[in-house]
C-alpha cells in the first residue's frame, strides 16, 4: 500500500496540481497569467524532482556517472522549483510602497532566510553526526528550505490582502505547510532511531498537492495582490517573531541532542535577532509616519467639510445621526451639536419618507451582496430650525457602519422651477390660466364626465369697449382694467370652476358640476359674470365703463375640447353681432346643409345629464 501511494499517488497529485494551475492561467491575463505560469512550471519542476529523487533512492549506495547525473538533476529540479516559485510570488505583488516598507520587507526576508539557514545547518550537522549521506541530506534540506521560504512569502502576501481575497493564498499556504511537514519527516526517516514514516509522508505530500491544485480557483486566485499596503495587521506583527522562534528552537534542540555546536549557528542566529530588533524600529517609524499622514488627511478633510456649502451627515444603521457638518447651521439653522443623536426620518417630510426608505433599503441589499454603488440620489423636504420645509437633494451612500448623507439645499431652484412652470401655463399679467392650461382643464373635465354626471359648460367672454379705453387712457390703464376684470371673474365663480385669459381682452370660464345641467343655472352664472364686468372700473383717478359679450356652449356626448371651444367662440361672436352686452348660447341649427349658427339661450330649457 505504501509503495502504491508513493509510486502512483504522489506523482498523480503533482500532475493534477500542474494541470489545475496551467488551466487557470489560460483564463487569466497580464501579470496574473504570468504568475500562474511560473507557479505551474515551479510545481512541475518539483514533481520532476520527486520522480528523480525516487530513482536516486533506488540507486543509493552505487557509484559512477549515472548516480552523479541523477543526483545533479534532483538538485537542479529543486533549485528550479524554488526559483520559479519565488519569482511567481514576486510577480503576484503589486507595485508601490515607501522606503520604510521596502526596508521592512528586506528585514523580513533576511529573518526568514537566516532562520531557514540555521535550521538547515543544524539538521545537516545532525545528519553528519549520524554518519549519513551528506549529499542526500543537502537535497532533502533543500526541499524543506524551499517549502518554508515559499510558505513565508505566501504568509506575507496573505497579511497584505483584503479579507475577500485571502481564500486562495490561505489554502495554498496550508497545502504547502503540509507538504513541508512531509519533507521534514522524510529527513528524519533516515535516522535509525526514528521508525519509518513513509505512509505519513506520502499522504502529506498528496494532500498538500491537492490543496495547491484547488487554490487558484478560490477567491483571490486571479487577482494581483496589493502588498503596497502600509498598515500591518496584528497577525502580521506576531508572524514576524516566527522566524526567530524557529531559529531558537533549532539551536536549542541541537544543543539538547548533544551534537557539536560550531560558530556558524550562533552567528547566524544573532543576525536574525538583530534583524528583528531593526524591524521593530522600522515598524515604529512607519507608525509615526502613518500617524502624521492621518493627522494631515484629517486636517484636509476637516477643511473641505467645514468650507463646503453642502451638509454632510453620518448616520448609524438605525439612522441616528452620529456626525453632521457645520454647514447645517447656515442651511437649516441648527447647531451641529443639537442634531447629534437625532433620528434622521424625524427631520424629513412624512410624504417624502417612502422614497428615502426605499433608497436606504436598496443600498443595504447591495452592500450585503458585495456590490458597492456610488450612492442613491433622493429629493425630499427637510424641516429647518424655523419650522419651514426646505427642499434638499441628497446623495446617500453606504459605509461599514451606516450611511453617509450629502445634502444640498435646492429650495431656490425648486421655487424657480415652479415659477417657470407657472409662467408656462398662466397669464403673466392677470395670473389666470392661459389658453394651453385652459384647454387641458377642458380635456380633463370631458374625460372624467360619466353617464350620470352633468356635462360641463363653457363661457367665452369679450370686453366691449376695451380698445377705446386702452387707446385713450394708455396701455397701463388697459392693463389695470384687465387685472381688475380678472379679479371680478374669479370672485364670481366657484372654487372648482376655472377662469382663464385667452389673450387680449378675451376671457373664458369652465363651469363643472351641475352648472351645465340646466340652462337657467348656466345663465345665472353668465349673468353674474356680465354684471361684474359691466361695473365701473377705477383707473388712475378716473372711472371707465365697459360691457361684455358672452357666448355659452354645453358639452354634448362625444364632443372634443377643440369643438367645445369653437362652439363657445361662435356663440360669443353671435352675441356681439346681436348688439353686444348680452349672453348667447350655441345651438346647432342645420337647414338645407347650411353652416350651423347660434341662437339666444332660453331660460326654461334644462339639459338632462348625459
Amino acid at each position: 500500500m505504501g509503495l502504491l501511494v508513493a509510486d502512483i499517488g504522489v506523482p498523480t497529485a503533482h500532475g493534477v496540481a500542474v494541470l489545475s494551475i496551467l488551466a487557470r492561467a489560460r483564463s487569466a491575463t497580464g501579470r496574473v497569467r504570468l504568475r500562474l505560469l511560473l507557479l505551474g512550471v515551479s510545481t512541475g519542476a518539483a514533481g520532476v524532482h520527486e520522480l528523480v529523487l525516487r530513482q536516486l533512492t533506488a540507486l543509493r549506495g552505487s557509484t559512477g556517472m549515472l548516480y552523479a547525473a541523477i543526483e545533479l538533476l534532483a538538485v537542479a529540479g529543486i533549485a528550479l522549483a524554488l526559483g520559479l516559485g519565488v519569482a511567481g510570488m514576486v510577480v503576484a505583488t503589486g507595485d508601490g510602497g515607501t522606503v520604510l516598507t521596502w526596508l521592512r520587507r528586506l528585514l523580513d526576508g533576511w529573518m526568514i532566510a537566516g532562520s531557514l539557514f540555521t535550521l538547515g545547518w543544524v539538521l545537516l550537522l545532525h545528519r553528519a553526526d549520524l554518519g549519513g549521506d551528506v549529499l542526500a541530506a543537502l537535497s532533502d534540506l533543500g526541499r524543506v528550505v524551499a517549502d518554508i521560504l515559499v510558505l513565508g512569502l505566501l504568509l506575507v502576501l496573505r497579511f497584505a490582502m483584503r479579507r475577500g481575497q485571502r481564500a486562495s493564498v490561505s489554502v495554498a499556504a496550508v497545502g504547502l505547510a503540509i507538504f513541508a511537514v512531509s519533507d521534514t519527516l522524510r529527513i528524519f526517516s533516515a535516522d535509525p532511531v526514528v521508525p519509518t514514516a513513509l505512509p505519513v509522508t506520502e499522504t502529506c505530500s498528496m494532500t498538500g498537492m491537492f490543496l495547491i491544485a484547488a487554490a487558484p480557483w478560490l477567491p483571490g486566485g486571479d487577482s494581483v495582490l496589493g502588498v503596497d499596503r502600509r498598515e500591518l495587521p496584528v497577525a502580521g506583527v506576531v508572524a514576524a517573531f516566527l522566524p526567530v522562534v524557529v531559529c531558537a528552537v533549532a539551536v536549542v534542540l541541537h544543543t539538547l541532542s548533544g551534537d557539536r555546536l560550531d560558530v556558524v549557528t550562533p552567528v547566524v542566529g544573532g543576525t536574525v535577532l538583530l534583524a528583528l530588533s531593526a524591524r521593530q524600529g522600522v515598524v515604529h517609524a512607519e507608525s509615526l509616519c502613518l500617524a502624521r499622514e492621518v493627522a494631515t488627511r484629517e486636517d484636509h478633510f476637516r477643511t473641505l467639510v467645514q468650507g463646503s456649502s453642502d451638509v454632510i451627515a453620518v448616520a448609524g444603521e438605525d439612522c441616528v445621526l452620529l456626525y453632521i457638518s457645520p454647514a447645517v447651521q447656515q442651511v437649516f439653522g441648527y447647531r451641529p451639536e443639537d442634531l447629534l443623536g437625532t433620528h434622521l426620518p424625524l427631520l424629513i417630510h412624512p410624504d417624502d419618507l417612502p422614497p428615502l426608505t426605499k433608497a436606504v433599503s436598496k443600498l443595504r441589499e447591495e452592500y450585503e451582496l458585495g456590490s458597492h454603488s456610488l450612492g442613491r440620489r433622493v429629493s425630499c423636504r427637510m424641516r429647518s430650525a424655523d419650522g419651514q420645509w426646505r427642499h434638499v437633494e441628497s446623495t446617500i451612500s453606504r459605509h461599514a457602519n451606516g450611511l453617509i448623507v450629502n445634502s444640498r439645499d435646492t429650495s431656490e431652484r425648486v421655487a424657480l422651477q415652479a415659477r417657470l412652470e407657472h409662467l408656462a401655463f398662466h397669464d403673466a399679467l392677470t395670473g389666470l390660466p392661459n389658453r394651453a392650461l385652459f384647454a387641458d382643464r377642458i380635456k380633463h373635465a370631458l374625460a372624467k364626465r360619466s353617464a350620470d354626471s352633468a356635462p360641463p359648460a363653457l363661457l367665452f367672454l369679450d370686453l366691449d369697449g376695451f380698445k377705446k379705453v386702452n387707446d385713450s387712457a394708455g396701455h397701463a390703464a388697459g392693463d389695470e382694467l384687465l387685472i381688475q376684470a380678472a379679479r371680478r371673474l374669479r370672485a364670481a365663480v366657484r372654487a372648482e370652476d376655472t377662469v382663464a385669459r385667452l389673450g387680449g381682452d378675451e376671457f373664458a370660464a369652465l363651469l363643472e358640476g351641475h352648472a351645465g345641467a340646466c340652462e337657467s343655472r348656466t345663465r345665472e352664472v353668465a349673468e353674474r359674470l356680465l354684471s361684474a364686468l359691466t361695473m365701473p372700473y377705477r383707473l388712475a383717478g378716473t372711472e371707465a365703463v365697459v360691457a361684455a359679450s358672452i357666448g355659452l356652449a354645453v358639452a354634448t356626448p362625444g364632443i372634443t375640447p377643440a369643438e367645445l371651444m369653437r362652439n363657445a367662440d361662435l356663440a360669443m361672436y353671435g352675441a356681439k353681432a346681436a348688439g353686444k352686452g348680452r349672453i348667447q348660447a350655441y345651438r346647432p341649427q342645420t337647414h338645407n346643409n347650411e353652416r350651423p349658427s347660434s341662437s339666444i339661450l332660453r331660460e326654461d330649457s334644462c339639459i338632462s345629464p348625459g
Side-chain angles (χ1 to χ4, degrees), residues 54-339:
R54 296 188 185 283
Q55 298 298 322
L56 189 65
T57 304
L59 296 174
R60 182 164 293 175
S62 63
T63 58
M65 296 294 295
L66 179 61
Y67 182 82
I70 293 177
E71 190 172 37
L72 182 61
L73 185 60
V75 174
I78 191 60
L80 183 63
L82 174 60
L84 292 177
V86 173
M89 292 297 99
V90 173
V91 171
T93 62
D95 299 325
T98 64
V99 175
L100 290 175
T101 304
W102 283 107
L103 181 57
R104 172 166 53 83
R105 294 175 191 165
L106 182 62
L107 292 172
D108 288 343
W110 169 245
M111 286 192 298
I112 294 174
S115 62
L116 289 175
F117 181 82
T118 304
L119 177 63
W121 187 259
V122 169
L123 292 176
L124 184 60
L125 290 177
H126 176 72
R127 178 65 65 87
D129 290 339
L130 293 176
D133 188 349
V134 177
L135 291 178
L138 284 175
S139 178
D140 292 339
L141 289 175
R143 293 163 58 93
V144 175
V145 169
D147 294 340
I148 298 179
L149 182 58
V150 177
L151 178 60
L153 291 173
L154 282 173
L155 293 176
V156 171
L157 291 178
R158 185 188 182 279
F159 291 132
M161 296 171 63
R162 298 181 179 88
R163 292 185 180 275
Q165 296 180 339
R166 292 180 177 178
S168 175
V169 175
S170 298
V171 171
V174 172
L176 199 57
I178 296 175
F179 199 80
V181 170
S182 170
D183 289 336
T184 304
L185 291 176
R186 185 178 286 108
I187 295 175
F188 286 99
S189 64
D191 192 336
V193 180
V194 181
T196 178
L198 181 61
V200 177
T201 59
E202 304 304 341
T203 302
C204 289
S205 297
M206 291 176 57
T207 304
M209 277 295 111
F210 283 133
L211 289 175
I212 292 173
W217 303 94
L218 298 175
D222 60 345
S223 61
V224 177
L225 312 179
V227 297
D228 56 338
R229 293 175 57 195
R230 296 176 57 189
E231 63 272 17
L232 195 64
V234 176
V237 176
V238 175
F241 293 89
L242 183 60
V244 180
V245 173
V246 171
C247 186
V249 169
V251 174
V252 170
L253 289 178
H254 183 70
T255 304
L256 293 177
S257 64
D259 295 332
R260 57 191 177 90
L261 188 66
D262 63 338
V263 70
V264 175
T265 303
V267 168
V268 176
T271 59
V272 172
L273 291 175
L274 289 176
L276 177 63
S277 301
R279 183 188 186 278
Q280 296 307 108
V282 171
V283 170
H284 183 65
E286 279 189 300
S287 300
L288 293 178
C289 291
L290 284 175
R292 282 196 294 266
E293 284 188 16
V294 169
T296 302
R297 291 179 181 179
E298 286 182 352
D299 291 340
H300 182 62
F301 172 76
R302 188 179 298 107
T303 301
L304 291 176
V305 171
Q306 292 180 350
S308 175
S309 59
D310 295 350
V311 179
I312 302 173
V314 178
E317 290 288 352
D318 53 358
C319 291
V320 173
L321 292 176
L322 306 176
Y323 168 82
I324 193 161
S325 63
V328 71
Q329 188 162 6
Q330 297 178 357
V331 178
F332 298 106
Y334 297 105
R335 293 185 304 171
E337 56 270 20
D338 294 339
L339 291 181

Side-chain angles (χ1 to χ4, degrees), residues 519-572:
E519 293 180 350
S520 58
R521 295 179 183 175
T522 309
R523 184 177 180 83
E524 289 177 1
V525 177
E527 289 179 346
R528 189 164 63 245
L529 295 177
L530 181 61
S531 175
L533 292 175
T534 54
M535 294 178 62
Y537 295 86
R538 190 73 178 176
L539 305 174
T542 62
E543 287 189 351
V545 178
V546 296
S549 298
I550 301 177
L552 185 150
V554 178
T556 57
I559 195 170
T560 64
E563 291 172 344
L564 183 59
M565 293 179 70
R566 180 185 62 84
N567 293 345
D569 193 40
L570 289 174
M572 183 194 70

Side-chain angles (χ1 to χ4, degrees), residues 314-320 322 364 367 397-404:
V314 178
E317 290 288 352
D318 53 358
C319 291
V320 173
L322 306 176
R364 285 175 178 169
Y367 188 81
S397 306
R398 281 283 308 180
H399 71 95
N401 299 319
L403 303 170
I404 299 176

Side-chain angles (χ1 to χ4, degrees), residues 424-604:
F425 294 102
H426 291 79
D427 176 53
L429 179 64
T430 63
L432 295 176
N434 58 16
R435 183 180 291 270
L437 180 57
F438 190 68
D440 185 70
R441 296 280 178 87
I442 296 175
K443 178 181 177 181
H444 281 83
L446 294 177
K448 70 182 181 181
R449 180 197 173 194
S450 62
D452 298 331
S453 63
L458 190 61
L459 302 178
F460 264 44
L461 306 93
D462 185 84
L463 299 180
D464 300 326
F466 171 75
K467 187 176 184 303
K468 181 179 179 181
V469 174
N470 196 50
D471 293 342
S472 60
H475 293 292
D479 290 344
E480 179 61 26
L481 190 149
L482 293 175
I483 293 172
Q484 294 185 28
R487 292 174 185 162
R488 297 178 184 184
L489 290 174
R490 265 197 299 252
V493 298
R494 301 173 305 168
E496 57 266 30
D497 297 329
T498 302
V499 176
R501 182 190 178 199
L502 304 183
D505 60 344
E506 291 186 357
F507 295 86
L510 175 64
L511 309 179
E512 299 185 66
H514 298 286
C518 291
E519 293 180 350
S520 58
R521 295 179 183 175
T522 309
R523 184 177 180 83
E524 289 177 1
V525 177
E527 289 179 346
R528 189 164 63 245
L529 295 177
L530 181 61
S531 175
L533 292 175
T534 54
M535 294 178 62
Y537 295 86
R538 190 73 178 176
L539 305 174
T542 62
E543 287 189 351
V545 178
V546 296
S549 298
I550 301 177
L552 185 150
V554 178
T556 57
I559 195 170
T560 64
E563 291 172 344
L564 183 59
M565 293 179 70
R566 180 185 62 84
N567 293 345
D569 193 40
L570 289 174
M572 183 194 70
Y573 280 103
K576 277 185 172 293
K580 300 182 181 181
R582 61 182 63 205
I583 304 168
Q584 186 162 319
Y586 173 82
R587 293 183 184 281
Q589 295 178 349
T590 306
H591 300 288
N592 299 326
N593 295 326
E594 294 178 358
R595 183 178 179 181
S597 60
S598 59
S599 63
I600 300 297
L601 176 68
R602 293 179 301 174
E603 295 185 22
D604 57 349

Side-chain angles (χ1 to χ4, degrees), residues 20-82:
S20 174
I21 296 174
L22 294 181
R24 192 69 178 95
R26 292 188 59 185
S27 61
T29 58
R31 179 180 293 182
V32 176
R33 185 173 188 178
L34 178 59
R35 176 189 81 198
L36 292 173
L37 288 175
L38 290 172
L39 294 178
V41 178
S42 173
T43 306
V48 172
H49 168 78
E50 185 77 23
L51 292 175
V52 173
L53 189 62
R54 296 188 185 283
Q55 298 298 322
L56 189 65
T57 304
L59 296 174
R60 182 164 293 175
S62 63
T63 58
M65 296 294 295
L66 179 61
Y67 182 82
I70 293 177
E71 190 172 37
L72 182 61
L73 185 60
V75 174
I78 191 60
L80 183 63
L82 174 60

